[in-house]
Every structure is written in structure tokens, then in C-alpha cells.
Amino acid sequence: MPLRVYNTLTGEKEIFVPLTPGKAGMYVCGVTVYDYCHIGHARAGVVFDIIYRYLKYVGYDVTYVRNYTDIDDKIIKRANQEGTDYRTIADRYIQAFDEDMARLGLAKPTVEPKATDHIDGIIAIIETLVEKGHAYTSEGDVYYAVDTFPGYLKLSGRAMEEMQAGARVEVGDRKRNPMDFALWKGSKPGEPYWSSPWGEGRPGWHIECSAMSMKFLGKTFDFHGGGKDLVFPHHENEIAQSEAANGCQFVRYWLHNGFVNINAEKMSKSLGNFFTIRDVLQKYDPETLRFFILSAHYRSPIDFSDQNLDESQAALERIYSCLAAIDELLQSNAVSSEMAVVEHLSPVGQELQEKLTQLIPRFVDAMDDDFNSAQALGVVFETVRSTNRFLAETTEMTPIALSLIARVRHLCNEIGSVLGLFNSKPSVWLDGIKRAKADQLDMTPEQIERLIVERAEARASRNFKRSDEIRDLLLTHGIQLLDSVQGTTWNVK
RNA sequence: GGCGCGUUAUCCAAGAGGCUAGGAGCCGGUCUGCAAAACCGUUAACGUCGGUUCGAAUCCGACACGCGCCUCCA
């Protein structure tokens, strides 16, 4: 099955046919850098990260552009509040964005342009639009005349009359049509500005994406992505600008990710119900957050809650525990490349072998179906179960058994490199989770160890009443004892 | 008001005409002094009412409930 993607423009899943064979151009709206990123940004980041990785994985030469909008009213407002300049604010939050995305394990895009580095390109497009009669000047501003573009609202699938009937659109006296939007805004005293044919000013929101995408990907390119909330007005306006200026199709496939909800309601700045990525990473491992995001299809809403994050962590622990067991085995047994001809696999071994031959094809099937990462993870879990079963019943690690196990490891790495998951050393990752939990205890490790020793003594003298008392006491502090032949260790419940 | 989306077992979540999704939980087993942990096994579902079909979670219609966009937003 070829790659099929859901295109917002047509409202259907379509087979992806690249503009240029073997290549894929992809532009994703990054952030306006005026504050720390919240988990909605994390979702968009992770979703387009795996789309980028997957396109590369299936062999495309991908040019991935993700911008920073570093000039905007909100940035200026923030700078004024803090008594500093817009550049300081923009640079601070660009750095914060980079840190957050790096922690989430995002691959670096091919290019990460900033709007302020492309003012010339922005001005050039506006000039073209004015020349072609799609834009007009008004008291130092330049506006896009939406009436001049017949395809306006084709992405969001609305009618102009309905939009205006909403009565929530302000009628600006500088605009001919209330739906017209600013391409260029004349600067007020004290505001940052660039010179232009229309006087000193700055670009409006939307035009920077038209300019930067054209510069790095051309007038027509394959994918344009962003959150669902950008469909209108941002992407609609980008289409109007780019197609009117260039006279050709702008984007071939529009991709939009769903929202992150809190208690089934959209998380947003205006509602004030948002969590920053930094807040969440104080409590949860970045890979857990990433897993949580990928456990649902990218277009569906996901409900952010402690319970859901805890479940994601438990699920990821299951995978890492399996990988840790594999690593331990492979470390203590040299894998021979020679396979003894006489060896036979048990039925469970044959089942695992069968699962492994299907693993990558099934993973690819899932991802080909509009990047269905949730289904892809299901395939991984089935492999984990087969592997665990095989490990449990295999008493002697023969060369063929070891090579089978090594193959599981190899394929999990391959899938993990596409999803950006399970790339940590399993034992280290599991230890990290354990340590993070231990930090929240009201007992020190020394106290715990002392009680474990006392319990061991009690057990040795078959004083089970006392040993069980200690076990229960620790449990009330959230500490779970793990007995094994090597001795007793503990874990945080 | 206009437009659009969703409703899958106890919870999270795939699937989109006949084919075991998966995870967490419950329950059973292995292990254990007994447990726990781990592992294995197992369970159960398609909002309501109609229609199409040999066959419907899946397609069509109505209804109910929830959500989103129409305003800065990922």
C-alpha cells in the first residue's frame, strides 16, 4: 500500500504523489516566540517530527522547513511589559523552544528560518500583490483584498457570507472589507520597524510563512502542516497570498494535527488551562510525553491528564523492560553468525519468528495509513508479548535463539528511530524512572535499606510476622519490595 | 446562528462492510514462607432509533450527547 495522507483541502485521504519523484518538501508553522511552549506545541512538534522521519525512512529526500515568527504584536507587547526590546524577547523564547524540542527528541528540520531574516522576501511578495491588484495601501498599512481571490476560504470550507454573519469580525475603517487582513503594518513610535515602499513598518502575521516557504521550497510544494487552529485564518490567508502572487497552486497536501484537551476542552492560552512543556517535564520523562502523544492518531483530540500520562509511562516501561531483558541476554552471550543447521525452533520460537517477519511490513502499513502511530505501537506491543513468551520458555540460549532475540532488538531500534522512541539504553531509562519516583518519597534510601536488612534477618529466622510488618510499613510509604534470588530490592509504587 | 468533527468494553485507544488491534485494570496461572513485582493466559465493546445488505462498529438517514472553528492560538 502506498502512503496515504488526509488532506484538509479535500477532506479525504489521498495517495501521496510527490511533486518531484523521490523528493518531499514540507513546511510546518513553528511558533510565535513570545512565551514558553505548552504541550499543544509539543504535540505539533512531535507529530510533524515523526512525519518528517517517516518520509525519510521510506526513502524520500525531505526538505523540512519550520519557521520562527519572531516579529509580531504579542512579542512587542511582551517587550513593552518587561521594558525591553522585541529582539530580547524573541531570542529568549527561540532558545527556550529549541531546548524544549531537543528534550522531546525532535530531529532538527533542514532549515529553521526566522521571519526577520526574510523581510526582503516579504516585501517582494507584498509588492507583487499590490501590482496585481490583490492588495491596497491604507494609512501606512497594506491589506490583502480577499474579494480579489476567488478561492478564498477553500481550505476551511466556508462561505464568505457565513463568516460575516458571525458578527465577530471587527470592521476596521482602514479596510475595504472587514475580512481583509494586514500584510504590512505601519509602525507606531517606539515600535520596531523596517523600511518599505509603504514607509516604516513590520510584516503582518501570515505573510512570513508565504515568503519563507517560497524561498526554501518553491512556489508549489508538497506538505504544509500545523495545528488545526491554524486552518483559519492563518493557512487560508497564506493560500490567498501565495496563490495570488505566484499564480499557481501553493500547497498540495495540507496536514493538521488535533488539539490537546484538558478535561475534554481545548487547551489554550485564552482559556488559561495550559501546561508548559517545562512544567510537564518536571514530573514526566520526555519520552513518556512523546509516547503519550503518539498513542493517539495525530488528527484526534487527546486528553491530557495525570492518569493518561501514568498509563503511557507504564506502557513504555513494558517495552523498555523487554528491551532490557534482551540486552542483558545479548551481553552475556556472544551472538554467533553461524547458525547450526540441526537446530529447531520451538512453536513459541516459530511464532516469534513469524511475528518478526511481519513486524516491519505491518509497521509500514500502519504508518502509510495517514501516519497511524497508535496502530504502529500496537504492532510493537504484539512483538513484545511474543518476545516475553519466548524468553520465558527458553531455558537454553542456543545460537538460533540468540539471533532471533538480536533481531527483535534490531527491528525495535529501526521502528524506534522513526517514532523517536526506545532509543535510550533500557536499563538507564528504567533507572531514571525509578529515581524520579524515589525523589518523591518521605523516606531516605538509607532508612529503606536498614529496614530491608532487618526484614531479611527476620525472614532468615522465619519470623514472618515481623518481616511482613516491615513490608507493610514500607508499602504505606509507597515502597514496594521486590524479592528475588539475588536478594531484595525496592521500587516506588 | 453557520460550518465541521466525535461517541468503541471499567479506563485510554486503533479499526471503517465478513478477518485476535494494543495498553492499563479485573480474574486465573507460574514464581514465593505468604505476598509483591515480573511474565504468561483470559475477559469484555461498538450512543439511540430506523434503513441498505446474505452480512453493519464500519455505509445511509434521523435523534441525543460532547467538542471544535467562525477571534490571538499548535
Side-chain angles (χ1 to χ4, degrees):
Chain A
M1 276 288 249
L3 173 61
R4 283 160 304 135
V5 301
Y6 180 88
N7 186 352
T8 309
L9 190 62
T10 56
E12 282 171 6
K13 275 188 205 170
E14 298 172 15
I15 292 171
F16 171 58
V17 180
L19 184 66
T20 309
K23 297 195 174 188
M26 175 172 164
Y27 185 95
V28 172
C29 289
V31 283
T32 300
V33 282
Y34 72 102
D35 203 352
Y36 291 114
C37 289
H38 55 64
I39 45 182
H41 297 110
R43 185 177 194 190
V46 168
V47 161
F48 289 105
D49 182 53
I50 63 145
I51 289 175
Y52 172 46
R53 289 169 187 250
Y54 186 68
L55 290 171
K56 283 199 292 187
Y57 175 72
V58 294
Y60 290 104
D61 174 14
V62 188
T63 304
Y64 175 25
V65 183
R66 187 185 60 206
N67 70 290
Y68 300 100
T69 295
D70 62 343
I71 180 66
D72 172 86
D73 291 354
K74 290 193 289 291
I75 299 172
I76 294 170
K77 187 177 163 203
R78 180 104 192 200
N80 289 340
Q81 281 168 351
E82 294 191 18
T84 183
D85 59 311
Y86 91 96
R87 197 67 253 163
T88 306
I89 299 294
D91 287 343
R92 181 201 300 160
Y93 292 109
I94 285 173
Q95 197 191 340
F97 175 90
D98 288 348
E99 285 167 12
D100 290 347
M101 295 305 147
R103 289 188 69 190
L104 290 172
L106 299 212
K108 275 288 197 187
T110 319
V111 201
E112 295 177 274
K114 295 175 190 148
T116 56
D117 287 337
H118 297 275
I119 301 290
D120 290 350
I122 289 169
I123 290 173
I125 294 179
I126 301 175
E127 282 185 305
T128 305
L129 289 171
V130 171
E131 276 164 29
K132 290 191 172 180
H134 288 289
Y136 57 94
T137 57
S138 178
E139 300 175 41
D141 296 341
V142 182
Y143 293 98
Y144 187 96
V146 297
D147 296 325
T148 66
F149 183 67
Y152 197 59
L153 304 181
K154 67 180 173 184
L155 182 66
S156 49
R158 283 175 239 265
M160 197 80 97
E161 311 79 62
E162 290 159 6
M163 299 285 290
Q164 290 171 34
R168 290 166 90 177
V169 183
E170 281 172 47
V171 180
D173 41 352
R174 297 180 182 193
K175 297 183 194 174
R176 291 179 191 168
N177 180 320
M179 297 291 289
D180 290 351
F181 56 91
L183 296 168
W184 189 260
K185 294 179 171 187
S187 61
K188 299 190 201 87
E191 287 181 347
Y193 62 84
W194 287 261
S195 333
S196 79
W198 317 284
E200 293 172 343
R202 63 177 181 276
W205 185 40
H206 317 305
I207 191 69
E208 81 284 17
C209 288
S210 286
M212 291 185 276
S213 59
M214 187 166 104
K215 160 125 190 198
F216 295 105
L217 298 168
K219 292 176 178 177
T220 302
F221 56 92
D222 297 304
F223 296 108
H224 191 132
K228 261 194 168 97
D229 46 356
L230 295 182
V231 173
F232 183 89
H234 188 54
H235 290 161
E236 200 72 72
N237 292 353
E238 281 185 51
I239 292 174
Q241 295 160 350
S242 295
E243 297 196 349
N246 296 328
C248 60
Q249 187 180 24
F250 176 42
V251 169
R252 306 175 65 240
Y253 303 91
W254 285 93
L255 312 179
H256 293 98
N257 65 278
F259 296 133
V260 177
N261 290 164
I262 306 284
N263 295 322
E265 284 203 324
K266 178 187 170 182
M267 184 180 73
S268 78
K269 290 257 170 176
S270 42
L271 291 171
N273 60 344
F274 63 93
F275 294 97
T276 65
I277 294 173
R278 289 163 185 236
D279 288 340
V280 174
L281 294 188
Q282 296 254 320
K283 192 165 174 193
Y284 293 99
D285 172 78
E287 205 169 326
T288 298
L289 179 56
R290 196 176 168 105
F291 184 97
F292 167 67
I293 290 166
L294 296 179
S295 66
H297 183 87
Y298 78 92
R299 284 188 286 118
S300 310
I302 42 171
D303 214 53
F304 182 84
S305 67
D306 278 6
Q307 191 199 326
N308 287 347
L309 268 282
D310 287 341
E311 283 193 6
S312 290
Q313 187 174 82
L316 197 48
E317 278 185 74
R318 179 171 165 81
I319 294 173
Y320 265 126
S321 299
C322 177
L323 295 179
I326 290 175
D327 284 357
E328 207 171 308
L329 256 176
L330 294 180
Q331 239 166 34
S332 49
N333 297 273
V335 181
S336 162
S337 53
E338 290 167 43
M339 231 179 255
V341 193
V342 289
E343 276 190 61
H344 293 289
L345 278 170
S346 63
V348 175
Q350 280 170 23
E351 183 200 298
L352 177 59
Q353 193 169 46
E354 178 59 26
K355 272 271 186 305
L356 290 182
T357 58
Q358 292 170 2
L359 180 55
I360 295 296
R362 292 181 68 202
F363 170 73
V364 167
D365 273 352
M367 294 298 284
D368 271 351
D369 187 10
D370 198 27
F371 312 106
N372 194 335
S373 55
Q375 190 170 50
L377 286 172
V379 177
V380 172
F381 277 109
E382 286 185 42
T383 306
V384 166
R385 193 180 52 226
S386 288
T387 304
N388 282 335
R389 196 186 294 156
F390 181 67
L391 291 177
E393 71 128 44
T394 307
T395 45
E396 198 193 346
M397 277 302 143
T398 58
I400 193 171
L402 283 169
S403 79
L404 201 56
I405 294 297
R407 186 135 169 268
V408 173
R409 192 67 178 95
H410 174 76
L411 295 177
C412 284
N413 270 358
E414 183 172 325
I415 289 172
S417 70
V418 178
L419 298 179
L421 292 172
F422 359 115
N423 296 316
S424 305
K425 191 170 188 298
S427 56
V428 172
W429 188 86
L430 291 166
D431 277 354
I433 293 295
K434 183 180 167 183
R435 230 177 306 119
K437 287 179 181 168
D439 285 346
Q440 293 166 10
L441 290 176
D442 56 356
M443 288 182 98
T444 65
E446 291 72 32
Q447 287 173 306
I448 299 166
E449 290 301 334
R450 209 175 310 129
L451 285 166
I452 287 176
V453 170
E454 192 191 331
R455 173 168 170 272
E457 287 161 0
R459 289 180 76 198
S461 55
R462 304 194 67 79
N463 182 358
F464 295 124
K465 185 170 171 287
R466 178 61 190 150
S467 71
D468 289 354
E469 260 173 31
I470 293 170
R471 187 170 70 199
D472 293 344
L473 172 77
L474 286 169
L475 202 56
T476 62
H477 289 272
I479 296 147
Q480 201 164 50
L481 294 183
L482 309 174
D483 291 330
S484 77
V485 279
Q486 286 89 18
T488 301
T489 57
W490 56 276
N491 209 341
V492 185
K493 203 164 177 189

